[in-house]
Structures are given as structure tokens and as C-alpha cells.
């Protein structure tokens, strides 16, 4: 880590790989010898579309997906996907089925409910979203158009460690906070999406990875910009795309490939998370994890301290150690350490050491 930078544990916007930031800085005035910045160049320029296509190829390579999948770059945040998904894929007598595993999962369901085409297939709300509903808990309705899951629950710190079996019903996943963090059998999903600002780049673009066939049948009544087929047919260039964001996501994907791909990054992420979870588990109850052990997220580690006063003190003292953004979401309270791909192992070591020292001083 550079001397003037901090370890940023914020949930999103989040820490980005230093190499990527430096590369972008070095190229900022002159994109690929064009004499123009990436934010000045026309999105109709051939260099621009080549860059966009390379980003798509790298993302699909990382995910082990072939020609039957497409990658789209959309705007409006993951939150706009919550509305577009039921508009495009449910209705005409079919409902969107949802697993409610946290705040974003619930928000996604509520958008379907506005159209009166939502169905709750499972929920872990009754136990403060501490666990990911199991396969046995998921009850699909007979009229299911799809099952929507939120693969990593950023606020509660839980994550799927299995892929729900849905038979012939398409599986849709919000992977905003864990896309490209570890190898997953992505072929089991018809549609995956992520707001970039957690694990993939800057805020301002949503990455959609979906089966081409699934994207091709938007109902005729949907406004042009809210149709997936509009964006698929025009290679995400129907209107002016978020050029800089796509460029940064492309660089991040190339960086991931250079690291060795999802197997390597997944092992690294598991080691990082283990450092912090072990510190919680070996603290004699001083730290209490929010998530059930079998549902723990490798990306967002949520935990509480014995009192709110100690939690406040923890946040303040952490800052003096270059450890920033560890305050939890108000709906859970306590702490949350977001440790996405870009967080180096040393950042987690430093946090774990700080936690141990803090406990010894305050237990
Ligand atoms: C952050 C987040 C969202 C919301 O993303 P926006 O881009 O702010 O709309 C949705 N789902 C998950 C899992 C998230 O972590």
C-alpha cells in the first residue's frame, strides 16, 4: 500500500486494485495513442468498441462462459435491474420468484410487487437475515418465470455456498458484491448482474452476464431503454454508454486474469476472510459475528462488539491505523469489513492484528 493511501473497508464504492488505478492515471490524457482521453473519445470510435469487446471477452473467459452468453454494460445501478428484471421476464400469468435473504433481495422483490407479479419463495427475515435459505426452504410457485437470488448480502454479510436447483426455471442472481470473487458454475445461471462499484470498478455501470436467448424476448410494451433486447442488439451502444466505467471494468478484468483468474483470487479471498473470522471466533465472545457460520460471506464480514460505546471507539481507533470504513450498516449495527478482490492480504492482517490488540485492551 502507498504511504498516502488507506486500507478502505467500505462496502461500495470500494477499494480498487492499485495497479489498475495507476494504469488509468498514466493513460488518462491519451487513450491508446488517439491523442484523446477515454472520457473524450467518441463511443463510435473503433478503438472504443474494440476496448468494450475485449472487456466482454475477458469477463466471459474469467467466468468460463462461451458464445451462448452475452455481456451488457447498463446504467441506473443494480437498483434499476430490480425493476427491469420483472418487466422483461415475468408477467403474462407468470410471477417472479424471490428468495428474501437481506435488504437488496427484498428491494428486488418489492419492484416485482409493484407490478403485482412477485412471489416469495423463501425468506430468512424471521432470524434477522443471519442465514442463506437452504434448498429445502425454497418453494417455487407453479407459475414461476424465474428465481431471483441475491448471491452475497452486502449488508448482513451472508453469501450462498451452493447454487439453488430450479429445474427448468431460469436462475437470476444479483452478484453486485461477489461477482468475479471466486469460481462458481456460472452456466447454472440464466442471468447475473452486478453494480460495478463493489468488486469490478467505479460506480456508474452495471455488468449483466446472461444467456443470449434469455435476453432476446422483451415484451413489446416496455420502454426502449428498459428492454434487454435493445442493449443486446446494439452491443451496449444503443445510447452513450458510461465509457470511463466500462474502461475501468475492462482493466479490472484484465488485472484479474493476470492474477491467475478466479481460482487464484478465490483462494486468496478465502484466506483473507479466514483471518478475520478466526479473530472473531477466538475472541472469547468479545466479537460476535452476525452471520451463521455456514452462511458467512467471504466479501463482507459483519460483527458486533460488547457495547455501542466500544463500537464507536473501535471505528475511531481503527482510523489511526489506516483502517477506514469499518462501520457497519445502520440496520445491522456494529462493524463490517468489506474485503473485495482489491483488498490485499496485508490489509486483512492489519485489521486482524488491530482487532486482537483492541480486545486485549478493552475486554
Ligand atoms: C450495492 C448493492 C446493490 C445496489 O446497487 P446500486 O448500484 O447502488 O443500485 C444491489 N445489490 C447488492 C447485492 C448490492 O451490494
Amino acid at each position: 500500500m502507498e504511504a498516502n493511501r488507506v486500507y478502505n473497508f467500505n462496502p461500495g464504492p470500494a477499494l480498487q486494485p492499485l495497479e489498475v488505478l495507476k494504469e488509468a492515471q498514466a493513460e488518462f490524457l491519451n487513450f491508446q495513442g488517439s491523442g484523446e482521453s477515454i472520457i473524450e473519445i467518441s463511443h463510435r470510435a473503433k478503438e472504443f468498441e474494440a476496448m468494450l469487446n475485449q472487456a466482454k471477452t475477458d469477463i466471459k473467459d474469467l467466468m468460463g462462459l462461451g458464445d451462448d452468453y452475452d455481456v451488457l454494460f447498463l446504467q441506473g445501478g443494480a437498483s434499476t435491474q430490480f425493476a427491469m428484471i420483472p418487466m422483461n421476464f415475468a408477467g403474462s400469468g407468470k410471477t417472479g420468484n424471490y428468495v428474501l435473504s437481506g435488504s437488496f433481495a427484498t428491494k428486488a422483490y418489492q419492484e416485482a410487487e409493484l407490478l403485482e407479479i412477485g412471489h416469495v419463495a423463501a425468506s430468512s427475515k424471521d432470524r434477522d437475515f443471519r442465514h442463506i435459505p437452504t434448498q429445502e426452504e425454497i418453494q417455487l410457485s407453479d407459475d414461476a418465470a424465474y428465481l431471483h437470488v441475491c448471491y452475497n448480502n452486502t449488508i448482513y454479510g451472508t453469501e450462498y455456498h451452493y447454487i439453488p436447483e430450479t429445474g427448468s426455471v431460469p436462475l437470476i442472481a444479483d452478484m453486485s458484491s461477489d461477482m468475479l470473487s471466486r469460481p462458481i458454475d456460472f452456466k447454472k445461471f440464466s442471468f447475473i448482474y452486478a453494480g460495478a462499484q463493489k468488486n469490478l470498478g467505479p460506480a456508474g455501470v452495471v455488468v449483466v452476464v446472461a444467456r443470449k436467448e434469455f435476453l432476446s424476448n422483451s415484451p413489446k410494451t416496455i420502454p426502449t431503454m428498459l428492454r434487454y433486447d435493445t442493449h443486446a442488439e446494439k452491443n451496449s451502444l444503443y445510447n452513450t454508454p458510461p465509457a470511463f466505467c466500462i474502461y475501468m471494468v475492462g482493466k479490472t478484468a484484465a488485472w484479474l486474469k493476470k492474477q491467475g483468474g478466479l481460482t487464484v483470487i478465490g483462494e486468496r479471498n478465502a484466506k483473507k476472510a479466514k483471518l478475520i473470522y478466526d479473530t472473531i471466533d477466538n475472541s472469547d465472545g468479545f466479537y460476535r459475528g452476525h452471520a451463521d457460520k455456514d452462511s458467512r460471506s467471504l466479501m463482507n464480514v459483519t460483527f458486533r462488539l460488547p457495547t455501542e460505546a466500544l463500537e464507536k471507539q473501535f471505528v475511531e481507533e481503527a482510523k489511526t491505523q489506516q483502517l477506514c470504513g469499518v462501520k457497519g450498516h445502520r440496520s445491522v449495527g456494529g462493524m463490517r469489513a468489506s474485503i473485495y478482490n482489491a483488498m490485499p492480504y496485508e490489509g486483512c492482517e492489519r485489521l486482524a492484528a488491530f482487532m486482537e490488540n483492541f480486545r486485549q485492551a478493552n475486554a
Side-chain angles (χ1 to χ4, degrees), residues 266-287:
E267 283 165 7
R268 198 187 293 170
N269 285 335
K271 273 194 208 152
K272 280 154 51 183
K274 186 173 185 308
L275 270 179
I276 302 173
Y277 284 122
D278 281 353
T279 308
I280 293 171
D281 293 342
N282 298 328
S283 72
D284 281 332
F286 184 78
Y287 297 111

Side-chain angles (χ1 to χ4, degrees), residues 5 14-28 31 37-39 48 51-52 54-56 58-59 62 73 180 196-197 199-205 207 242-256:
R5 285 177 52 87
L15 190 71
Q16 302 297 317
L18 190 58
E19 294 95 316
V20 169
L21 296 179
K22 284 187 164 172
E23 243 181 71
Q25 184 183 41
E27 293 171 8
F28 194 60
F31 171 67
S37 170
I38 181 65
I39 67 165
F48 183 82
M51 179 276 289
L52 181 148
Q54 187 62 49
K56 288 172 64 168
D58 285 347
I59 288 167
L62 284 164
F73 298 108
L180 304 187
Q197 67 272 23
N199 207 25
L200 306 175
V205 67
V207 181
F244 181 73
C245 299
I246 296 171
Y247 161 86
M248 290 297 285
V249 169
K251 284 218 173 296
T252 304
W255 174 81
L256 276 170

Side-chain angles (χ1 to χ4, degrees), residues 76-80 82 104 150 152-154 174 176-177 195 197-198 206:
S79 301
T80 298
F82 297 165
F104 292 115
C150 181
N152 184 72
N153 297 279
T154 322
D174 176 356
S176 290
S177 47
Q197 67 272 23
K198 274 83 185 215
V206 176

Side-chain angles (χ1 to χ4, degrees), residues 83-94:
M84 280 173 73
I85 287 165
M87 288 171 87
N88 279 266
F89 302 131
S92 301
K94 292 202 152 196

Side-chain angles (χ1 to χ4, degrees), residues 103-123:
S103 314
F104 292 115
T106 305
K107 283 183 171 163
Y109 164 69
Q110 284 164 347
E111 293 297 298
E113 262 307 90
L114 285 176
L115 305 170
E116 299 178 349
I117 49 176
H119 171 81
V120 177
S123 171

